[in-house]
Amino acid sequence: MNLLHPGQDGYAEEITGFQTSVPTAPAVVVAAESAEDVAVAVRYAAEHGLPVAVQATGHGLTAGTDGVLISTRRMTGVEIDPGARTARVGAGVRWEAVIEAAGKHGLAPLSGSSPDVGVVGYTLSGGFGLMARRYGRAADHVRALDVVTADGELRRVEPGTDLFWALRGGRDGFGVVTAIEFGLLPVRDLYGGSLTFDSADVPAVLRAWRTWSAAAPDTLTTSVAMIRYPDLPMVPEPVRGRHVAQVRIAFLGENGDDLVAPLRAVAPALADTLRPMPFTESGSIAAEPRQPHGYHGTNATVSQLNDAMLDAIVEHAGPGAAAPPVLIIDRLGGALARTPETPGVGWDSAAEFAVRALSVVGDDGVAAIRRAHAKLFDALAPWATGRLLPFVYGEHAPEEVAESVFPAADLRRLRELKRRYDAGNVFRAG
Ligand SMILES: Cc1cc2nc3c(=O)[nH]c(=O)nc-3n(C[C@H](O)[C@H](O)[C@H](O)COP(=O)(O)OP(=O)(O)OC[C@H]3O[C@@H](n4cnc5c(N)ncnc54)[C@H](O)[C@@H]3O)c2cc1C
């Protein structure tokens, strides 16, 4: 175990993650290499009355810490059991390592748009991935977790226990997961990619996607993103300087070209990357950036997407908006609407769509972004039913976030369990 203090060589590198706009200044960073390192760190923090935070990749950093930061990035073990179709991975593993290892056996995990994201943080947040409408949330496929709880004990957490329920979707505040075991799916290939349309076609594309995706089979998981690309030389043609609508598709059935024909007919696409591909290339569907940056984001699940809502989305996030966020609308439903075999913490699984906004933090800071996002989500409020935990970025009001993310009964149970497992509030960073 390596301990790093402020000013020491390696300290700054160790705390730097993907999200750069959340200031953090831990009193000590524990560069953990094993579950035992994590247990020692938690016991030390509890004895000294210090809060514990944990970081794998920094994609989901919401609040900084002045206590003990347990950095899990060295815990990178990946074991695949092809016969049982399961994976067991360490706390610092990113999806790309699992995708690659599982792919060798014709298997795939329930990973999301970016292979760069950490498996544990993603799965504990619920995990809404590329095959979500077919197989549900990643959290629902967890088989077991190794967790260091606030008393410094390393526990194996299995189905039928309170912690198994709370960690899967509740994410923060119960312990540090040192390893996670989960099911893999027999998926080798998919039909995927995106269709990108120019600014003038944005309103028509949104409406066409809404209609088209309503009749979609569960084997299709799809979203539409609106993105303004700067007019800079490093931005590739044909999107440079344009505000586009990009329909993203991951389809597990046959004849993908037939399925997307109605979308291709809406308008001429600026770019069309749809093709059969091995699951190992699924990160190319959304092609999300890998370079660290500062961002702030929130979202709402909604019961419908009527014309008034689409008009509000175009007004506040479309080509004419002054400072539009990246706006992503996900079609929910399918397996996401069904009760899984071993449910974790709930969310509004009856919602039809999720609307997510994400803005890069610039000179105006987070306050200006919050105001801009509030205009959009205030307009959607009459139809809003909840919020998805993984897509809350950089928010600093945990109570408000918790109340919008968790159903009331689940929040009560989470609070009860928090009192039972962490009465001293050792894990108070999340
Ligand atoms: C570019 C991008 C793409 C994304 N795509 C998707 C997507 O398709 N679907 C989706 O559902 N989400 C997605 N997310 C959200 C992502 O799942 C969450 O931000 C998640 O929390 C990131 O986990 P991490 O470990 O990578 O990040 P970190 O910032 O390292 O961790 C985030 C939080 O997870 C918890 N955590 C991490 N490790 C542990 C541990 N070992 N024990 C206990 N708690 C832990 C902690 O609360 C920590 O603060 C995306 C995020 C980004 C930035």
Side-chain angles (χ1 to χ4, degrees):
M1 170 170 47
N2 197 5
L3 292 185
L4 297 160
H5 292 91
Q8 219 173 315
D9 270 1
Y11 172 91
E13 289 79 0
E14 195 71 31
I15 65 175
T16 303
F18 188 74
Q19 164 68 277
T20 57
S21 66
V22 176
T24 187
V28 57
V29 181
V30 178
E33 289 175 17
S34 66
E36 184 49 32
D37 287 355
V38 173
V40 170
V42 171
R43 286 199 286 269
Y44 173 89
E47 275 159 26
H48 292 82
L50 292 166
V52 171
V54 53
Q55 182 169 307
T57 73
H59 279 76
L61 193 61
T62 52
T65 182
D66 56 3
V68 175
L69 177 69
I70 299 179
S71 168
T72 61
R73 62 172 70 167
R74 288 169 190 73
M75 298 171 68
T76 53
V78 175
E79 294 163 36
I80 306 290
D81 182 336
R85 288 191 191 152
T86 57
R88 175 183 166 86
V89 312
V93 170
R94 295 173 192 254
W95 277 120
E96 64 189 339
V98 184
I99 292 169
E100 196 195 317
K104 290 181 181 146
H105 305 281
L107 298 170
L110 289 172
S111 49
S113 56
S114 168
D116 210 23
V117 165
V119 174
V120 171
Y122 169 102
T123 306
L124 300 189
S125 310
F128 293 80
L130 295 171
M131 305 190 281
R133 282 172 39 88
R134 172 70 181 88
Y135 294 112
R137 303 187 309 170
D140 302 328
H141 293 253
V142 174
R143 304 287 174 85
L145 302 135
D146 291 352
V147 184
V148 174
T149 42
D151 53 10
E153 289 299 312
L154 175 62
R155 298 163 192 250
R156 181 159 171 92
V157 173
E158 293 187 325
T161 61
D162 285 328
L163 277 180
F164 189 76
W165 173 82
L167 284 162
R168 292 175 309 119
R171 190 172 73 189
D172 304 300
F174 294 99
V176 180
V177 172
T178 59
I180 185 167
E181 294 170 23
F182 53 91
L184 299 167
L185 288 314
V187 173
R188 192 182 285 278
D189 304 297
L190 79 168
Y191 176 90
S194 64
L195 282 172
T196 303
F197 298 94
D198 207 351
S199 316
D201 300 316
V202 167
V205 169
L206 292 181
R207 280 168 169 73
W209 175 83
R210 175 184 60 184
T211 308
W212 170 79
S213 60
D218 295 358
T219 42
L220 174 74
T221 299
T222 180
S223 58
V224 59
M226 286 199 291
I227 308 168
R228 178 180 289 179
Y229 287 98
D231 192 2
L232 295 171
M234 68 273 250
V235 178
E237 286 288 6
V239 295
R240 184 187 304 156
R242 294 174 193 269
H243 196 131
V244 304
Q246 186 177 73
V247 177
R248 296 169 176 175
I249 284 164
F251 176 51
L252 297 171
E254 301 292 317
N255 304 323
D257 283 332
D258 293 347
L259 179 82
V260 302
L263 284 177
R264 282 188 167 133
V266 176
L270 286 175
D272 181 342
T273 67
L274 289 166
R275 65 189 168 96
M277 63 170 80
F279 190 86
T280 48
E281 290 175 20
S282 59
S284 69
I285 294 173
E288 277 169 346
R290 286 190 161 223
Q291 59 277 29
H293 58 280
Y295 49 97
H296 185 88
T298 188
N299 69 85
T301 52
V302 293
S303 56
Q304 57 177 283
L305 199 56
N306 57 39
D307 286 348
M309 296 164 82
L310 286 183
D311 290 346
I313 286 170
V314 171
E315 180 188 344
H316 298 294
V326 172
L327 194 288
I328 299 177
I329 310 173
D330 304 285
R331 167 68 72 175
L332 302 174
L336 288 169
R338 294 191 279 272
T339 306
E341 222 172 281
T342 320
V345 178
W347 61 290
D348 179 32
S349 55
E352 291 282 331
F353 299 89
V355 180
R356 316 187 236 150
L358 184 144
S359 296
V360 171
V361 178
D363 296 341
D364 294 346
V366 167
I369 295 174
R370 279 216 180 96
R371 281 194 298 276
H373 289 183
K375 280 187 194 156
L376 168 64
F377 289 102
D378 285 351
L380 303 182
W383 302 278
T385 62
R387 195 145 53 151
L388 300 181
L389 179 61
F391 305 117
V392 178
Y393 302 116
E395 274 293 347
H396 291 274
E399 285 298 309
E400 189 207 310
V401 170
E403 277 161 20
S404 60
V405 163
F406 304 119
D410 285 10
L411 184 54
R412 273 196 302 280
R413 185 173 170 198
L414 284 169
R415 287 184 169 140
E416 242 173 73
L417 294 176
K418 176 72 179 170
R419 280 192 287 275
R420 188 171 349 139
Y421 286 98
D422 185 16
N425 206 10
V426 172
F427 302 111
R428 58 181 173 269

